[in-house]
Amino acid sequence: MNSPVRPEQLRGAITDVLESAATWPELPGLCRRLGLDAAPNQTDWNGGGKAKYVRALLEDHGLAELVDLARKVVEQVGSERLEKELAQLGPRGASGEFRNLIFAGTGPKPEMVLDDSVGNYLEITSNAEHWLFYDRPLTSQGLTWRNMLGWWPTTSAFAGIADEVDVSDPAALGHTLYKRLFASLPATSPPAQKLFITYCSRYGRPDGLDQPALIPEVHLHYDPYTRRERGGRGPLNRERMDFLLLLPNRVRIVIEVDGKHHYARQQASPAGQEAWTAAPDLYSVMVAEDRALRLKGYEVYRFGGYELMQPEAEDVLSTFFDRLLADSDVSPPPSTD
């Protein structure tokens, strides 16, 4: 995270806010609500004061943990100072622990059950052969191509081609993974295909294995029923996202490619020509979902399908990804010279 904010600076700001937000009797309870292990009362601190009490609770927190805590403080207590500190951090880290990814579907929707409802562990019980399921812990670097290549040969999807691939050759292994991911992209969306091709050609080479992996067609929410089974729209407006990047410091980037169906409806035309009418309700649903994602800590970036089919699209995408990853403390791609 390329940020002028240092951990000590953020630790001091949180301490000041909590010190002024609660009296001594109230402070332990406030700290517990924020997820801090608070001592039962101030007598354990020998009159050291509220600031000393709070700083002791924060001393082992790194920047990512402090950022999460600062957001909770802003939500529960409010602080313009902390809001300004957070605004300097660039892409924000998402709250909540990573559990799994279900992505790159090439067939019917997966059927799933909660194998452990306490731990929220999922098991795909049907149609698993059409989907990829990543459930390894994330590293400090997020989810990189190196992580993906270590996981890919262990999947059932790879088993059918294992005899044809030299797993010791990153290029050959990566090519099979690329083909499987690309196969999940809608054939009706050349713009999405172009985005994926452009990213992988720049950041998915064998000499760039520590670059973030671009994950297509990710199940963001999951409704066990189809819309047809529900008789129309279900409770979740957006079940899938087009692309996801999991970057260092728990930064989660959603990238959407918008065709006309995102903001307009096709109308019958007497001349048999394609005609579309603007649909404010579709647009409102889309931006409401974006707001909900941002409140959960995701960054959302949208590209118009028309934009990605222009001659300069590859340059636009390369510039965008270079700046995005630089702002997220990701090393630049290896030189192609």
Side-chain angles (χ1 to χ4, degrees):
M1 184 180 295
N2 286 340
S3 165
V5 177
R6 302 183 307 276
E8 187 57 33
Q9 179 181 344
L10 196 54
R11 190 177 290 112
I14 294 171
T15 299
D16 292 345
V17 172
L18 295 184
E19 181 185 18
S20 61
T23 64
W24 253 125
E26 297 169 337
L27 187 58
L30 173 60
C31 290
R32 289 193 193 92
R33 289 195 298 276
L34 293 168
L36 294 170
D37 268 340
N41 57 60
Q42 72 270 30
T43 58
D44 297 336
W45 297 88
N46 300 316
K50 292 188 288 182
K52 183 176 180 182
Y53 177 91
V54 174
R55 289 186 72 86
L57 297 176
L58 301 179
E59 62 182 355
D60 295 328
H61 284 53
L63 180 58
E65 294 173 303
L66 290 170
V67 169
D68 284 345
L69 178 61
R71 293 196 184 105
K72 291 180 183 178
V73 173
V74 169
E75 292 172 358
Q76 297 187 30
V77 179
S79 169
E80 290 186 7
R81 177 183 173 184
L82 279 179
E83 287 181 355
K84 291 178 180 178
E85 300 276 8
L86 292 171
Q88 299 180 58
L89 292 169
R92 60 183 287 189
S95 58
E97 294 300 321
F98 175 86
R99 293 290 187 188
N100 47 62
L101 284 179
I102 301 170
F103 61 101
T106 57
K109 185 175 182 176
E111 295 181 12
M112 294 183 284
V113 297
L114 278 174
D115 181 53
D116 176 357
S117 63
V118 176
N120 270 337
Y121 291 104
L122 296 175
E123 179 183 351
I124 300 179
T125 58
S126 183
N127 299 326
E129 67 273 19
H130 302 296
W131 293 84
L132 298 180
F133 188 83
Y134 188 95
D135 59 356
R136 292 185 173 185
L138 291 186
T139 69
S140 61
Q141 294 304 304
L143 182 56
T144 66
W145 290 117
R146 188 181 303 279
N147 302 142
M148 292 288 286
L149 288 186
W151 157 85
W152 172 232
T154 70
T155 66
S156 57
F158 182 81
I161 59 172
D163 293 340
E164 308 168 15
V165 183
D166 180 3
V167 296
S168 66
D169 181 355
L173 191 61
H175 182 65
T176 63
L177 175 61
Y178 171 85
K179 287 178 62 177
R180 174 61 183 81
L181 296 178
F182 187 83
S184 72
L185 298 174
T188 55
S189 183
Q193 293 176 336
K194 175 172 280 190
L195 186 148
F196 188 72
I197 291 169
T198 302
Y199 183 89
C200 290
S201 66
R202 188 168 181 80
Y203 295 97
R205 302 189 302 271
D207 58 351
L209 295 184
D210 292 317
Q211 300 297 313
L214 182 63
I215 311 300
E217 296 294 307
V218 179
H219 261 291
L220 171 64
H221 306 303
Y222 184 78
D223 184 344
Y225 299 99
T226 65
R227 291 190 177 188
R228 178 178 297 178
E229 289 171 329
R230 288 191 178 278
R233 176 174 291 173
L236 302 173
N237 291 317
R238 181 194 299 166
E239 284 198 58
R240 283 197 233 172
M241 60 182 85
D242 291 339
F243 298 100
L244 176 68
L245 288 164
L246 298 175
L247 305 181
N249 301 308
R250 299 168 70 176
V251 172
R252 300 176 186 176
I253 304 292
V254 175
I255 299 173
E256 294 286 308
V257 178
D258 297 339
K260 291 189 285 288
H261 63 281
H262 285 80
Y263 50 81
R265 286 190 175 88
Q266 190 169 13
Q267 305 295 322
S269 172
Q273 298 178 343
E274 187 179 84
W276 293 78
T277 301
D281 60 318
L282 294 180
Y283 177 79
S284 295
V285 168
M286 181 175 71
V287 296
E289 285 293 306
D290 284 357
R291 289 196 303 270
L293 274 178
R294 289 184 62 84
L295 288 173
K296 292 178 181 178
Y298 290 79
E299 290 291 314
V300 183
Y301 295 91
R302 291 186 171 275
F303 287 90
Y306 176 86
E307 176 187 16
L308 294 186
M309 296 311 294
Q310 302 310 303
E312 64 275 14
E314 289 186 17
D315 290 338
V316 169
L317 287 167
S318 295
T319 299
F320 165 75
F321 283 119
D322 283 351
R323 294 187 61 182
L324 174 70
L325 299 184
D327 287 343
S328 302
D329 267 359
V330 175
S331 299
S335 173
T336 56
D337 296 338

Coordinates of all heavy atoms in Angstrom, one line a residue, residues 225-295:
Y225 N -31.2 -21.0 -5.1 CA -32.3 -21.2 -6.1 C -32.0 -20.3 -7.3 O -31.4 -19.2 -7.2 CB -33.6 -20.8 -5.5 CG -34.0 -21.6 -4.4 CD1 -33.9 -21.1 -3.1 CD2 -34.6 -22.9 -4.5 CE1 -34.2 -21.9 -2.0 CE2 -34.9 -23.6 -3.4 CZ -34.8 -23.1 -2.1 OH -35.1 -23.9 -1.1
T226 N -32.4 -20.8 -8.5 CA -32.3 -20.0 -9.7 C -33.4 -18.9 -9.7 O -34.4 -19.1 -9.0 CB -32.4 -20.8 -11.0 OG1 -33.7 -21.4 -11.0 CG2 -31.3 -21.9 -10.9
R227 N -33.3 -17.9 -10.6 CA -34.4 -16.9 -10.7 C -35.6 -17.6 -11.2 O -36.7 -17.2 -10.8 CB -33.9 -15.8 -11.6 CG -32.8 -15.0 -11.0 CD -32.5 -13.7 -11.8 NE -31.5 -12.9 -11.1 CZ -31.2 -11.7 -11.5 NH1 -31.8 -11.1 -12.6 NH2 -30.3 -11.0 -10.9
R228 N -35.5 -18.5 -12.1 CA -36.7 -19.2 -12.6 C -37.4 -19.9 -11.5 O -38.6 -19.9 -11.4 CB -36.3 -20.2 -13.7 CG -37.5 -21.0 -14.3 CD -37.0 -21.9 -15.4 NE -36.5 -21.2 -16.5 CZ -36.0 -21.8 -17.6 NH1 -36.0 -23.1 -17.7 NH2 -35.5 -21.0 -18.6
E229 N -36.6 -20.6 -10.6 CA -37.3 -21.3 -9.5 C -37.9 -20.3 -8.5 O -38.9 -20.6 -7.8 CB -36.2 -22.1 -8.7 CG -35.7 -23.3 -9.5 CD -34.5 -24.0 -8.8 OE1 -33.7 -23.3 -8.2 OE2 -34.4 -25.2 -9.0
R230 N -37.4 -19.1 -8.4 CA -38.0 -18.1 -7.6 C -39.1 -17.3 -8.3 O -39.8 -16.4 -7.7 CB -37.0 -17.1 -7.1 CG -36.0 -17.7 -6.1 CD -35.1 -16.6 -5.4 NE -34.2 -17.1 -4.4 CZ -34.6 -17.3 -3.2 NH1 -35.8 -17.1 -2.8 NH2 -33.7 -17.8 -2.3
G231 N -39.4 -17.6 -9.5 CA -40.4 -16.9 -10.3 C -40.0 -15.5 -10.6 O -40.9 -14.6 -10.7
G232 N -38.8 -15.2 -10.8 CA -38.3 -13.8 -11.1 C -37.1 -13.5 -10.3 O -36.3 -14.4 -9.9
R233 N -36.9 -12.2 -10.1 CA -35.7 -11.8 -9.4 C -35.7 -12.3 -8.0 O -36.7 -12.2 -7.3 CB -35.6 -10.2 -9.4 CG -34.4 -9.6 -8.7 CD -34.4 -8.2 -8.9 NE -34.0 -7.8 -10.2 CZ -34.0 -6.6 -10.7 NH1 -34.3 -5.6 -10.0 NH2 -33.6 -6.4 -12.0
G234 N -34.5 -12.7 -7.5 CA -34.3 -13.2 -6.2 C -33.9 -12.1 -5.2 O -33.9 -10.9 -5.6
P235 N -33.5 -12.4 -4.0 CA -33.1 -11.4 -3.0 C -31.7 -10.8 -3.3 O -31.3 -9.8 -2.8 CB -33.1 -12.2 -1.7 CG -32.8 -13.6 -2.1 CD -33.5 -13.8 -3.4
L236 N -30.9 -11.5 -4.2 CA -29.6 -11.0 -4.5 C -29.5 -10.5 -5.9 O -29.8 -11.3 -6.9 CB -28.5 -12.1 -4.3 CG -28.5 -12.7 -2.9 CD1 -27.6 -14.0 -2.9 CD2 -28.0 -11.7 -1.9
N237 N -29.2 -9.2 -6.1 CA -29.3 -8.6 -7.4 C -28.0 -9.0 -8.3 O -28.1 -9.2 -9.5 CB -29.3 -7.1 -7.3 CG -30.7 -6.6 -6.8 OD1 -31.7 -7.2 -7.2 ND2 -30.6 -5.7 -5.9
R238 N -26.9 -9.1 -7.6 CA -25.7 -9.5 -8.4 C -25.0 -10.7 -7.7 O -24.4 -10.5 -6.7 CB -24.7 -8.3 -8.4 CG -23.4 -8.6 -9.2 CD -22.4 -7.5 -8.9 NE -22.8 -6.2 -9.2 CZ -22.1 -5.1 -8.8 NH1 -21.1 -5.2 -8.1 NH2 -22.6 -3.9 -9.2
E239 N -25.1 -11.8 -8.4 CA -24.5 -13.0 -7.8 C -23.1 -13.2 -8.2 O -22.3 -13.7 -7.5 CB -25.3 -14.2 -8.2 CG -26.6 -14.4 -7.4 CD -27.2 -15.8 -7.5 OE1 -26.4 -16.7 -7.1 OE2 -28.3 -16.0 -7.9
R240 N -22.7 -12.7 -9.4 CA -21.4 -12.9 -9.9 C -20.7 -11.6 -10.2 O -21.4 -10.6 -10.6 CB -21.4 -13.7 -11.2 CG -21.6 -15.2 -10.9 CD -21.2 -16.0 -12.2 NE -22.2 -16.9 -12.6 CZ -22.1 -17.6 -13.7 NH1 -21.1 -17.5 -14.6 NH2 -23.1 -18.4 -14.1
M241 N -19.4 -11.5 -10.1 CA -18.6 -10.4 -10.6 C -17.8 -10.8 -11.8 O -17.4 -12.0 -11.9 CB -17.7 -9.8 -9.5 CG -16.7 -10.8 -8.9 SD -15.8 -10.1 -7.5 CE -16.8 -10.4 -6.2
D242 N -17.5 -9.9 -12.7 CA -16.8 -10.3 -13.9 C -15.3 -10.7 -13.5 O -14.9 -11.7 -14.0 CB -16.8 -9.1 -14.8 CG -18.1 -8.8 -15.4 OD1 -19.0 -9.8 -15.4 OD2 -18.4 -7.7 -15.9
F243 N -14.6 -9.9 -12.7 CA -13.2 -10.2 -12.4 C -13.0 -9.7 -11.0 O -13.6 -8.8 -10.5 CB -12.3 -9.4 -13.3 CG -12.4 -9.8 -14.8 CD1 -13.1 -9.0 -15.7 CD2 -11.8 -11.0 -15.3 CE1 -13.2 -9.4 -17.0 CE2 -11.9 -11.4 -16.6 CZ -12.6 -10.6 -17.5
L244 N -12.0 -10.4 -10.3 CA -11.6 -10.1 -9.0 C -10.1 -10.2 -8.9 O -9.5 -11.1 -9.4 CB -12.2 -11.1 -8.0 CG -11.8 -10.9 -6.5 CD1 -12.3 -9.6 -5.9 CD2 -12.3 -12.1 -5.7
L245 N -9.5 -9.2 -8.2 CA -8.1 -9.2 -7.9 C -7.9 -9.2 -6.4 O -8.6 -8.3 -5.7 CB -7.3 -8.0 -8.5 CG -7.1 -8.0 -10.0 CD1 -6.7 -6.5 -10.4 CD2 -6.0 -8.9 -10.4
L246 N -7.2 -10.1 -5.8 CA -6.9 -10.1 -4.3 C -5.5 -9.6 -4.2 O -4.5 -10.4 -4.4 CB -7.2 -11.4 -3.8 CG -8.6 -12.0 -3.9 CD1 -8.7 -13.4 -3.4 CD2 -9.6 -11.1 -3.1
L247 N -5.3 -8.4 -3.7 CA -4.0 -7.7 -3.6 C -3.4 -7.7 -2.2 O -4.1 -8.2 -1.2 CB -4.1 -6.3 -4.1 CG -4.7 -6.2 -5.5 CD1 -4.7 -4.7 -5.9 CD2 -3.9 -7.0 -6.5
P248 N -2.2 -7.3 -2.0 CA -1.6 -7.2 -0.6 C -2.5 -6.3 0.3 O -3.3 -5.5 -0.2 CB -0.2 -6.6 -0.9 CG 0.1 -7.0 -2.3 CD -1.2 -7.0 -3.0
N249 N -2.3 -6.5 1.6 CA -3.0 -5.7 2.6 C -4.6 -5.9 2.5 O -5.3 -4.9 2.8 CB -2.7 -4.2 2.4 CG -1.2 -4.0 2.6 OD1 -0.6 -4.4 3.6 ND2 -0.6 -3.3 1.7
R250 N -5.0 -7.1 2.0 CA -6.4 -7.4 2.0 C -7.2 -6.5 1.1 O -8.4 -6.3 1.3 CB -7.0 -7.4 3.4 CG -6.4 -8.4 4.3 CD -6.7 -8.2 5.8 NE -8.1 -8.5 6.0 CZ -8.6 -8.5 7.3 NH1 -7.9 -8.1 8.3 NH2 -9.9 -8.8 7.4
V251 N -6.6 -5.9 0.1 CA -7.3 -5.1 -0.9 C -7.9 -6.0 -1.9 O -7.3 -6.9 -2.5 CB -6.3 -4.1 -1.6 CG1 -6.9 -3.4 -2.8 CG2 -5.7 -3.1 -0.6
R252 N -9.2 -5.8 -2.1 CA -10.0 -6.6 -3.0 C -10.6 -5.7 -4.1 O -11.3 -4.7 -3.8 CB -11.1 -7.3 -2.3 CG -10.6 -8.2 -1.2 CD -11.7 -8.9 -0.4 NE -11.2 -9.7 0.7 CZ -12.0 -10.3 1.6 NH1 -13.3 -10.2 1.6 NH2 -11.4 -10.9 2.6
I253 N -10.2 -6.0 -5.3 CA -10.6 -5.1 -6.5 C -11.6 -5.9 -7.4 O -11.3 -7.0 -7.8 CB -9.4 -4.8 -7.3 CG1 -8.3 -4.1 -6.5 CG2 -9.8 -3.9 -8.5 CD1 -8.7 -2.7 -5.9
V254 N -12.8 -5.3 -7.6 CA -13.8 -5.9 -8.5 C -13.7 -5.1 -9.8 O -13.7 -3.8 -9.7 CB -15.2 -5.8 -7.9 CG1 -16.3 -6.2 -8.9 CG2 -15.3 -6.6 -6.6
I255 N -13.7 -5.8 -10.9 CA -13.7 -5.1 -12.2 C -14.9 -5.6 -13.0 O -15.0 -6.8 -13.1 CB -12.4 -5.4 -13.0 CG1 -11.2 -4.9 -12.2 CG2 -12.4 -4.8 -14.3 CD1 -9.8 -5.2 -12.7
E256 N -15.7 -4.7 -13.4 CA -16.9 -5.1 -14.2 C -16.8 -4.5 -15.6 O -16.3 -3.4 -15.8 CB -18.1 -4.5 -13.5 CG -18.4 -5.1 -12.1 CD -19.0 -6.5 -12.2 OE1 -20.0 -6.7 -13.0 OE2 -18.5 -7.4 -11.6
V257 N -17.3 -5.3 -16.5 CA -17.4 -4.9 -17.9 C -18.8 -4.7 -18.3 O -19.6 -5.7 -18.2 CB -16.7 -5.9 -18.9 CG1 -16.8 -5.4 -20.3 CG2 -15.2 -6.0 -18.5
D258 N -19.3 -3.5 -18.6 CA -20.7 -3.2 -18.8 C -21.1 -3.2 -20.2 O -20.7 -2.3 -21.0 CB -21.1 -1.9 -18.1 CG -20.8 -1.9 -16.6 OD1 -20.8 -3.0 -16.0 OD2 -20.7 -0.8 -16.0
G259 N -22.0 -4.1 -20.6 CA -22.6 -4.0 -21.9 C -23.9 -3.2 -21.8 O -24.2 -2.7 -20.7
K260 N -24.6 -3.1 -22.9 CA -25.8 -2.2 -22.8 C -26.9 -2.8 -21.9 O -27.7 -2.0 -21.3 CB -26.4 -2.1 -24.3 CG -25.6 -1.3 -25.2 CD -26.3 -1.1 -26.5 CE -26.4 -2.3 -27.4 NZ -25.1 -2.7 -28.0
H261 N -26.9 -4.1 -21.6 CA -27.9 -4.7 -20.8 C -27.8 -4.3 -19.3 O -28.7 -4.5 -18.5 CB -27.9 -6.2 -20.9 CG -26.6 -6.8 -20.4 ND1 -25.4 -6.8 -21.1 CD2 -26.3 -7.4 -19.2 CE1 -24.5 -7.4 -20.4 NE2 -24.9 -7.7 -19.2
H262 N -26.7 -3.6 -19.0 CA -26.5 -3.1 -17.6 C -27.3 -1.8 -17.4 O -27.6 -1.5 -16.2 CB -25.0 -2.8 -17.3 CG -24.2 -4.0 -17.1 ND1 -23.7 -4.8 -18.1 CD2 -23.8 -4.6 -15.9 CE1 -23.0 -5.8 -17.6 NE2 -23.0 -5.7 -16.3
Y263 N -27.7 -1.1 -18.4 CA -28.3 0.2 -18.2 C -29.5 0.4 -19.2 O -30.0 1.5 -19.3 CB -27.3 1.3 -18.3 CG -26.4 1.3 -19.5 CD1 -26.9 1.7 -20.8 CD2 -25.2 0.7 -19.4 CE1 -26.1 1.7 -21.9 CE2 -24.3 0.6 -20.6 CZ -24.8 1.1 -21.8 OH -24.0 1.0 -22.9
A264 N -29.8 -0.6 -20.0 CA -30.8 -0.4 -21.0 C -31.5 -1.7 -21.3 O -31.0 -2.8 -21.0 CB -30.2 0.2 -22.3
R265 N -32.7 -1.6 -21.9 CA -33.5 -2.8 -22.3 C -33.7 -2.8 -23.8 O -33.9 -1.8 -24.4 CB -34.8 -2.9 -21.6 CG -34.8 -3.2 -20.2 CD -36.2 -3.5 -19.6 NE -36.1 -3.9 -18.2 CZ -36.1 -3.1 -17.2 NH1 -36.2 -1.8 -17.4 NH2 -36.0 -3.5 -16.0
Q266 N -33.5 -4.0 -24.4 CA -33.7 -4.1 -25.8 C -35.2 -4.1 -26.2 O -36.0 -4.7 -25.5 CB -33.1 -5.4 -26.3 CG -33.0 -5.5 -27.8 CD -32.1 -6.7 -28.3 OE1 -31.8 -7.6 -27.5 NE2 -31.8 -6.8 -29.6
Q267 N -35.5 -3.4 -27.2 CA -36.9 -3.2 -27.6 C -37.1 -3.8 -29.0 O -36.2 -3.8 -29.8 CB -37.3 -1.7 -27.7 CG -37.0 -1.0 -26.4 CD -37.9 -1.5 -25.2 OE1 -39.1 -1.8 -25.5 NE2 -37.3 -1.6 -24.0
A268 N -38.3 -4.3 -29.2 CA -38.6 -4.8 -30.6 C -38.6 -3.6 -31.6 O -39.1 -2.5 -31.3 CB -40.0 -5.4 -30.5
S269 N -38.0 -3.9 -32.7 CA -38.0 -2.8 -33.8 C -38.7 -3.3 -35.0 O -38.4 -4.4 -35.5 CB -36.5 -2.5 -34.1 OG -36.4 -1.7 -35.2
P270 N -39.6 -2.5 -35.6 CA -40.3 -2.9 -36.8 C -39.4 -3.3 -37.9 O -39.7 -4.1 -38.7 CB -41.2 -1.7 -37.1 CG -41.3 -1.0 -35.8 CD -40.0 -1.2 -35.1
A271 N -38.3 -2.6 -38.0 CA -37.3 -2.8 -39.1 C -36.4 -4.0 -38.9 O -35.6 -4.3 -39.7 CB -36.5 -1.5 -39.4
G272 N -36.6 -4.6 -37.7 CA -35.7 -5.8 -37.4 C -34.3 -5.3 -36.9 O -33.5 -6.2 -36.8
Q273 N -34.2 -4.1 -36.7 CA -32.9 -3.6 -36.2 C -32.8 -3.6 -34.7 O -33.9 -3.5 -34.0 CB -32.6 -2.2 -36.7 CG -32.5 -2.1 -38.3 CD -32.3 -0.7 -38.8 OE1 -32.5 0.3 -38.0 NE2 -31.9 -0.6 -40.0
E274 N -31.6 -3.6 -34.1 CA -31.4 -3.6 -32.7 C -31.8 -2.2 -32.1 O -31.3 -1.2 -32.6 CB -30.0 -4.0 -32.3 CG -29.7 -4.1 -30.9 CD -28.3 -4.5 -30.6 OE1 -27.5 -3.6 -30.5 OE2 -28.0 -5.7 -30.4
A275 N -32.6 -2.2 -31.1 CA -33.0 -0.9 -30.5 C -33.0 -1.1 -29.0 O -33.5 -2.1 -28.5 CB -34.4 -0.5 -31.0
W276 N -32.4 -0.1 -28.3 CA -32.3 -0.2 -26.9 C -32.9 1.1 -26.3 O -32.8 2.2 -26.8 CB -30.9 -0.3 -26.4 CG -30.2 -1.6 -26.8 CD1 -29.8 -2.0 -28.1 CD2 -30.0 -2.7 -26.0 NE1 -29.3 -3.3 -28.0 CE2 -29.4 -3.8 -26.8 CE3 -30.3 -3.0 -24.6 CZ2 -29.1 -5.0 -26.2 CZ3 -29.9 -4.2 -24.1 CH2 -29.4 -5.2 -24.9
T277 N -33.5 0.9 -25.1 CA -34.1 2.1 -24.4 C -33.5 2.1 -23.0 O -33.4 1.1 -22.3 CB -35.6 1.9 -24.2 OG1 -36.2 1.8 -25.5 CG2 -36.2 3.1 -23.5
A278 N -33.1 3.3 -22.6 CA -32.5 3.5 -21.3 C -33.4 3.0 -20.2 O -34.6 3.2 -20.2 CB -32.1 5.0 -21.0
A279 N -32.8 2.3 -19.2 CA -33.6 1.7 -18.1 C -33.0 2.3 -16.7 O -32.1 1.7 -16.2 CB -33.5 0.2 -18.1
P280 N -33.6 3.3 -16.2 CA -33.1 3.9 -14.9 C -33.1 2.9 -13.8 O -32.3 2.9 -12.9 CB -34.0 5.1 -14.7 CG -34.5 5.5 -16.0 CD -34.6 4.2 -16.8
D281 N -34.1 2.0 -13.8 CA -34.2 1.0 -12.7 C -33.0 0.1 -12.7 O -32.4 -0.3 -11.7 CB -35.5 0.2 -12.8 CG -35.6 -0.6 -14.1 OD1 -35.3 0.0 -15.1 OD2 -36.1 -1.7 -14.0
L282 N -32.5 -0.4 -13.9 CA -31.4 -1.3 -14.0 C -30.1 -0.5 -13.5 O -29.3 -1.1 -12.8 CB -31.2 -1.8 -15.4 CG -32.2 -2.7 -16.0 CD1 -31.9 -3.1 -17.4 CD2 -32.4 -3.9 -15.1
Y283 N -30.0 0.7 -13.9 CA -28.8 1.5 -13.5 C -28.8 1.7 -12.0 O -27.8 1.6 -11.3 CB -28.8 2.8 -14.2 CG -27.7 3.8 -13.8 CD1 -26.4 3.6 -14.3 CD2 -27.9 4.8 -12.8 CE1 -25.4 4.4 -13.9 CE2 -26.9 5.6 -12.4 CZ -25.6 5.4 -12.9 OH -24.6 6.2 -12.5
S284 N -30.0 1.9 -11.4 CA -30.1 2.2 -10.0 C -29.7 0.9 -9.2 O -29.0 1.0 -8.2 CB -31.5 2.6 -9.6 OG -31.8 3.8 -10.2
V285 N -30.1 -0.3 -9.7 CA -29.7 -1.5 -9.0 C -28.2 -1.7 -9.0 O -27.6 -2.1 -8.1 CB -30.5 -2.7 -9.7 CG1 -29.9 -4.0 -9.2 CG2 -32.0 -2.7 -9.3
M286 N -27.6 -1.4 -10.2 CA -26.2 -1.6 -10.4 C -25.4 -0.7 -9.4 O -24.5 -1.1 -8.7 CB -25.8 -1.2 -11.8 CG -24.3 -1.4 -12.1 SD -24.0 -1.2 -13.9 CE -24.3 0.6 -14.0
V287 N -25.8 0.6 -9.3 CA -25.0 1.5 -8.5 C -25.2 1.2 -7.0 O -24.4 1.4 -6.1 CB -25.2 3.0 -8.8 CG1 -24.8 3.3 -10.2 CG2 -26.7 3.4 -8.6
A288 N -26.4 0.7 -6.7 CA -26.7 0.4 -5.3 C -25.8 -0.8 -4.8 O -25.3 -0.9 -3.7 CB -28.2 0.0 -5.1
E289 N -25.7 -1.8 -5.7 CA -24.8 -2.9 -5.5 C -23.3 -2.5 -5.3 O -22.6 -3.0 -4.5 CB -24.9 -4.0 -6.6 CG -26.2 -4.8 -6.5 CD -26.2 -5.7 -5.3 OE1 -25.3 -6.4 -5.0 OE2 -27.2 -5.6 -4.5
D290 N -22.9 -1.5 -6.1 CA -21.6 -1.0 -6.0 C -21.4 -0.3 -4.6 O -20.3 -0.5 -4.0 CB -21.3 0.0 -7.1 CG -21.0 -0.6 -8.4 OD1 -21.0 -1.8 -8.5 OD2 -20.9 0.2 -9.4
R291 N -22.3 0.4 -4.2 CA -22.2 1.1 -2.9 C -22.1 0.0 -1.8 O -21.3 0.2 -0.8 CB -23.4 2.0 -2.6 CG -23.5 3.2 -3.4 CD -24.5 4.2 -2.8 NE -25.8 3.7 -2.7 CZ -26.8 3.7 -3.7 NH1 -26.5 4.3 -4.8 NH2 -28.0 3.2 -3.5
A292 N -22.9 -1.0 -1.9 CA -22.9 -2.1 -0.9 C -21.5 -2.8 -0.8 O -20.9 -3.1 0.2 CB -24.0 -3.1 -1.1
L293 N -20.9 -3.0 -2.0 CA -19.6 -3.6 -2.1 C -18.5 -2.7 -1.5 O -17.6 -3.1 -0.7 CB -19.2 -3.9 -3.5 CG -19.7 -5.2 -4.1 CD1 -19.3 -5.3 -5.6 CD2 -19.1 -6.4 -3.3
R294 N -18.6 -1.4 -1.7 CA -17.6 -0.5 -1.2 C -17.7 -0.4 0.3 O -16.7 -0.3 1.0 CB -17.8 0.9 -1.8 CG -17.4 1.0 -3.3 CD -17.5 2.4 -3.9 NE -16.6 3.3 -3.1 CZ -15.3 3.4 -3.4 NH1 -14.8 2.7 -4.4 NH2 -14.6 4.3 -2.7
L295 N -18.9 -0.5 0.8 CA -19.0 -0.5 2.3 C -18.4 -1.7 2.9 O -18.1 -1.7 4.1 CB -20.5 -0.3 2.7 CG -21.1 1.1 2.4 CD1 -22.6 1.0 2.7 CD2 -20.5 2.1 3.3

